[in-house]
């Protein structure tokens, strides 16, 4: 995929790790991004379907990221 409108210049990146489900496949990504410059890593005690179970919380997290 090629981004043609400056997508490569994205300066804010956010990773949201939902810890409330097993197997928790996002943990390695969370551990990498929480210390990586240019990333904000957020850990939340929600299940995998955050957008269904906690839409208001997810919206707040996403809005704070922009």
């Amino acid at each position: 995929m090629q981004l043609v409108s400056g997508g490569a210049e994205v300066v804010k990146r956010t990773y949201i790790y939902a810890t409330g489900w097993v197997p928790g496949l996002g943990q390695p990504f969370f551990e990498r991004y929480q210390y990586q410059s240019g990333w904000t890593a957020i850990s939340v005690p929600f299940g995998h379907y955050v957008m269904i179970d906690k839409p208001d919380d997810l919206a707040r997290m996403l809005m704070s990221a922009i």
Side-chain angles (χ1 to χ4, degrees):
M1 173 171 51
Q2 183 178 3
L3 301 174
V4 294
S5 62
E9 298 174 14
V10 172
V11 293
K12 289 186 173 184
R13 296 177 179 98
T14 301
Y15 184 80
I16 300 172
Y17 174 40
T19 63
W21 72 290
V22 175
L25 300 173
Q27 184 173 359
F29 302 103
F30 175 75
E31 290 174 357
R32 179 186 326 158
Y33 297 137
Q34 70 179 337
Y35 300 113
Q36 190 168 335
S37 177
W39 279 89
T40 298
I42 303 168
S43 175
V44 294
F46 308 145
H48 180 68
Y49 299 106
V50 178
M51 67 295 264
I52 295 170
D53 298 333
K54 300 285 187 175
D56 293 337
D57 292 318
L58 177 60
R60 276 190 290 280
M61 287 184 277
L62 294 174
M63 291 302 292
S64 71
I66 58 172

